Amino acid sequence: MTLATEPQDTPSSEPVAHATTLETWSHNERMRHIPSAAWMAQKLDVELRHRVDALFGVYLSAGHHADMEKEFRALCRSLDRVADVARHVRGNQHPPPDLGHRVSWSISHAVSNLNTLDAETFGRRFPFQTFERSNAEPLWAATLSVIEHVHRLTEIARTIDRAIDERMYEGLVTLQTPLDPRPMA
């Protein structure tokens, strides 16, 4: 039996492994309220691009409707915000001045910057000791802003062209024949 006041037998010359209380970014859990960067890029590049192209057709056929132009410019600013939050390389890229080219360029620029994000660390919470916020939350907020501007454009376009929903959703469902047309026996 040893007492607490007695000296220890021999001090160990080996370093003692201490468990660290610091977090690492790659080992932190994913934030459940943030979708993956690949999903955001696919949402912008496929679904929203198709809708925006259909809405821009309404804008052109309406003779450059002022409310739609205002909303398209707001959409471009939101897309630029997505691209700014997602980008790692800081370069000067200037959008084209024409609104039609600007919308397409902004979508492509945002998608290309989303594709550069590291899928392994994106959406993970930053370590608490850094006292920083993750870029995933502002990026998701900017993406939600883009989606909201597309909804606003859709509402304006419905007052101009009632058939816009048909054009936006064409190709969404592909009908297939349920049975082989050849006789079975």
Side-chain angles (χ1 to χ4, degrees):
M1 176 179 200
T2 55
L3 298 174
T5 57
E6 291 180 11
Q8 294 182 349
D9 293 334
T10 56
S12 175
S13 61
E14 298 176 15
V16 178
H18 293 287
T20 181
T21 58
L22 299 179
E23 294 181 337
T24 57
W25 191 16
S26 61
H27 290 106
N28 283 350
E29 67 275 1
R30 292 193 181 277
M31 294 182 281
R32 292 179 294 189
H33 62 286
I34 306 292
S36 69
W39 183 89
M40 285 189 237
Q42 189 270 341
K43 178 81 168 173
L44 286 177
D45 198 26
V46 178
E47 183 182 335
L48 291 179
R49 184 185 299 270
H50 176 70
R51 288 183 182 194
V52 168
D53 288 344
L55 292 167
F56 199 77
V58 172
Y59 169 73
L60 291 176
S61 68
H64 303 285
H65 193 269
D67 289 338
M68 285 191 79
E69 181 176 352
K70 179 181 166 188
E71 201 59 44
F72 269 117
R73 295 199 183 280
L75 173 67
C76 289
R77 286 191 301 273
S78 292
L79 286 165
D80 292 343
R81 176 72 178 141
V82 169
D84 285 343
V85 174
R87 74 178 171 178
H88 289 287
V89 179
R90 302 291 183 206
N92 286 337
Q93 293 186 353
H94 300 287
D98 179 46
L99 186 59
H101 293 16
R102 168 83 193 263
V103 171
S104 178
W105 182 88
S106 293
I107 293 173
S108 298
H109 186 57
V111 168
S112 67
N113 284 344
L114 281 169
N115 287 332
T116 63
L117 293 174
D118 182 15
E120 191 59 36
T121 57
F122 178 77
R124 293 184 185 271
R125 184 178 50 78
F126 269 10
F128 71 91
Q129 69 267 12
T130 61
F131 300 110
E132 293 184 23
R133 269 183 71 168
S134 169
N135 277 354
E137 289 172 328
L139 182 59
W140 178 230
T143 305
L144 288 174
S145 176
V146 168
I147 293 169
E148 177 59 27
H149 284 294
V150 172
H151 285 301
R152 290 179 188 174
L153 276 166
T154 304
E155 292 300 319
I156 296 170
R158 282 184 185 135
T159 63
I160 299 168
D161 183 6
R162 299 240 179 239
I164 186 62
D165 288 319
E166 293 174 22
R167 286 195 300 281
M168 283 194 319
Y169 296 121
E170 72 183 358
L172 184 64
V173 176
T174 305
L175 298 177
Q176 297 176 353
T177 55
L179 293 174
D180 192 10
R182 298 176 294 171
M184 295 174 118

